[in-house]
Amino acid sequence: MATKELQAVRGMNDIFPSASAGWQTLEADLRDLLSLYDYGEIRLPLLESTELFARAIGDVTDIVQKEMYTFADRNGDSLTLRPEGTAGCVRAAIQHQTMRGQTPRYYYIGPMFRHERPQKGRYRQFHQLGVEVFGQAGAGADAEVIALSARILKRSGVAAALQINSLGSPAARAAYRERLLSYLRPREAALCADCQTRMERNPLRVLDCKVPGCQEIAAAAPHLVDHLDAESAAHFASLQDLLTALDIPYVVNHSLVRGLDYYNRTVFEWVTDALGAQGTVLAGGRYDGLISQLGGQQTPAIGFAVGLERLLALQEIQGKLATASKPILFVGALDDSSLVSAWQLAEHLRDHAISVVSGGPASFKSLMKQAERSQAQFQVVIGAGQLQDEPVIIKEQHGEGRWEGSLDAVTSGLQSLGVDFPQHAPHTEHNFATTRRLK
RNA sequence: GUGGCUGUAGCUCAGUCGGUAGAGUCCCGGAUUGUGAUUCCGGUUGUCGCGGGUUCGAGCCCCGUCAGCCACCCCA
């Protein structure tokens, strides 16, 4: 059982091979889809200066105020483990001037860190895939990004519903904020304690409070989309037309307000009720002001992030989780002298890209159990007899396949049983064949 | 950061009124040197999360703490 000293940090998980197969398959699928849309991977530091996140995410957000892993570097600089990926991605694009006359599409995949109380679908180290598109102001970019998000969920086999909203321009949002406050103030006493503080910090968040009394008040509140500036309204209408034309169902959620300060105009979320309280699996929006706010030239931008733990949890619930591949052959040795031949055989087959798991020296019964546990498609046992002239038997573990022959001929034996060998052995060519495994 | 529930063998769990640690499973060996079943026999499981307190005596009661789960909050 767990000893006290040696434990993973709270909210940070170990991922063992039985689970990492699902991760690897998901990540491979995601990378494949990203290349379909011509996104390029950007690999970013996990650590950035604390100031970057404070300026990008917003001083008053919970993330910056109480959820960041922040500490002093040896020279006294304040560093922070990234709580999200957009800020670092924007910083990198500004620093390396990759947006001059270009409209790059980036994606990143990796761990993020937030010091929250862990619960279902929420961890202190969690993993996101994020995408960011720079330099495209039109609603076409929004539609394409949302189409990509839809395809990611579809490819993952995950059922979720798309909600969209528009926050308008900063000016329109500020004007709406005042309008909303003048609606809320007379009703302040009826709001929950949280919402009364939210009125100070970010009154838009009152709109998606879960307390029934607050929801009643929110339902009758003026709608943000009715008070957009003309350009944002046209942008939002255009986006909806495009989504309809692309057969992407959505609903407009008037209370959809993203938690990070940098968003404007389009915001969207894919939500599910299958994950308890953490229903958002993928979320994003437009942030036209962030790049200039961080010192770059005024550049429109849009992006989203998807939580990989949540995606995997949904895949598991819906029976779509990928399982580990299995080796082609188990090779077992009964004693020390036959182990030499068994290991030579295994290495020979690996030269030909056939995955082999080895066992022994051990009793025959033990080898049988090891072979079963290995889940290999075929098994072969080598003992003293095979070193003389007794036949080697290759047996299909869950089938009728069976072959007998000499130790030297195992390769052709496997071929006769249907194992797919590469055309050329990798050690005779200069490119390596892809490893043969089952499933 | 707040609240509720839960921590006993690798895994799933039982443990009565406070009386000195159990079952199943798994694993190993044998019955059975040559193709996996079943059955039978034998064998190893442990800081009862950790620390303190009460008691003649604590897995059990009390306090603290750590961790997990769930919810609030927040968010992916």
Side-chain angles (χ1 to χ4, degrees):
Chain A
M1 202 52 197
T3 56
K4 185 173 180 188
E5 285 84 12
L6 296 176
Q7 286 189 84
V9 174
R10 183 173 204 192
M12 305 201 180
N13 297 311
D14 303 308
I15 300 168
F16 282 86
S18 60
S20 61
W23 282 83
Q24 289 174 358
T25 302
L26 176 63
E27 286 167 4
D29 284 349
L30 291 173
R31 289 178 193 281
D32 185 51
L33 279 184
L34 267 326
S35 75
L36 191 62
Y37 286 73
D38 199 35
Y39 282 68
E41 184 182 14
I42 182 168
R43 298 200 178 199
L44 297 162
L46 270 52
L47 278 172
E48 298 274 2
S49 73
T50 302
E51 183 194 358
L52 171 66
F53 299 116
R55 283 174 59 186
I57 299 171
D59 287 338
V60 299
T61 60
D62 279 14
I63 292 177
V64 169
Q65 284 203 330
K66 50 192 187 190
E67 294 177 2
M68 296 204 301
Y69 282 90
T70 295
F71 56 93
D73 195 1
R74 288 174 183 276
N75 64 5
D77 294 344
S78 181
L79 302 182
T80 293
L81 279 166
R82 61 182 188 188
E84 56 99 53
T86 299
C89 190
V90 167
R91 190 228 83 225
I94 294 170
Q95 180 178 338
H96 299 282
Q97 299 283 318
T98 66
M99 296 177 290
R100 293 189 95 90
Q102 317 256 12
T103 59
R105 293 172 166 86
Y106 295 128
Y107 78 87
Y108 51 82
I109 188 163
M112 307 293 166
F113 303 86
R114 292 182 199 170
H115 193 103
E116 301 178 271
R117 189 92 170 240
Q119 67 180 80
K120 189 183 189 71
R122 190 172 82 180
Y123 309 99
R124 289 185 172 179
Q125 176 177 331
F126 61 104
H127 297 76
Q128 285 185 339
L129 164 74
V131 313
E132 318 288 353
V133 179
F134 296 138
Q136 298 198 36
D142 306 38
E144 188 178 284
V145 160
I146 291 174
L148 168 59
S149 72
R151 199 180 289 264
I152 283 174
L153 295 172
K154 187 178 176 187
R155 168 81 76 96
S156 306
V158 161
L162 174 62
Q163 301 184 347
I164 64 173
N165 196 17
S166 177
L167 302 179
S169 67
R173 191 173 165 186
Y176 170 76
R177 182 191 149 113
E178 290 311 312
R179 188 179 291 264
L180 179 63
L181 276 175
S182 60
Y183 167 80
L184 290 176
R185 281 204 186 94
R187 298 163 176 84
E188 180 167 0
L191 293 171
C192 70
D194 283 330
C195 280
Q196 290 179 14
T197 33
R198 281 196 270 249
M199 278 181 61
E200 306 300 319
R201 295 243 171 89
N202 189 352
L204 300 203
R205 299 216 63 91
V206 174
L207 295 176
D208 62 356
C209 181
K210 289 174 185 172
V211 176
C214 299
Q215 286 184 344
E216 257 178 59
I217 292 171
H223 284 163
L224 181 50
V225 290
D226 295 331
H227 302 280
L228 297 178
D229 53 296
E231 292 83 0
S232 293
H235 185 101
F236 195 45
S238 173
L239 170 62
Q240 293 183 62
D241 288 345
L242 281 164
L243 290 178
T244 302
L246 296 173
D247 288 325
I248 299 171
Y250 65 90
V251 297
V252 176
N253 178 353
H254 297 295
S255 62
L256 177 56
V257 179
R258 309 279 16 271
L260 286 63
D261 276 1
Y262 49 62
Y263 289 110
N264 69 302
R265 290 196 176 167
T266 306
V267 292
F268 64 99
E269 286 188 8
W270 288 87
V271 298
T272 170
D273 55 7
L275 293 180
Q278 313 301 323
T280 302
V281 58
L282 184 154
R286 183 165 276 284
Y287 49 96
D288 294 333
L290 179 61
I291 295 170
S292 56
Q293 183 185 321
L294 292 180
Q297 294 194 341
Q298 166 59 38
T299 307
I302 184 169
F304 66 73
V306 53
L308 299 189
E309 281 86 356
R310 292 183 186 177
L311 210 46
L312 287 163
L314 286 172
Q315 287 193 310
E316 185 169 24
I317 289 167
Q318 293 168 18
K320 300 287 170 58
L321 200 57
T323 53
S325 67
K326 296 158 186 168
I328 299 293
L329 181 68
F330 173 87
V331 174
L334 283 168
D335 53 44
D336 285 328
S337 63
S338 51
L339 183 141
V340 175
S341 296
W343 261 234
Q344 286 173 335
L345 170 63
E347 280 299 301
H348 174 69
L349 292 169
R350 290 168 185 145
D351 282 342
H352 291 80
I354 304 299
S355 54
V356 179
V357 60
S358 58
S363 72
F364 187 75
K365 180 174 183 173
S366 175
L367 288 180
M368 285 301 102
K369 290 192 170 183
Q370 289 179 43
E372 173 67 24
R373 214 181 309 143
S374 78
Q375 298 189 294
Q377 186 178 10
F378 300 99
Q379 49 119 313
V380 59
V381 172
I382 313 262
Q386 280 68 43
L387 302 186
Q388 308 302 317
D389 51 1
E390 289 179 34
V392 172
I393 302 169
I394 303 173
K395 197 179 165 193
E396 192 172 10
Q397 295 218 89
H398 294 283
E400 300 300 308
R402 186 184 170 91
W403 173 93
E404 289 189 25
S406 73
L407 192 51
D408 297 339
V410 166
T411 300
S412 54
L414 284 170
Q415 280 177 303
S416 76
L417 288 168
V419 174
D420 165 44
F421 276 68
Q423 284 296 313
H424 304 285
H427 67 283
T428 60
E429 297 290 317
H430 287 290
N431 58 330
F432 285 80
T434 304
T435 298
R436 264 54 172 174
R437 291 179 69 87
L438 204 57
K439 270 178 85 174

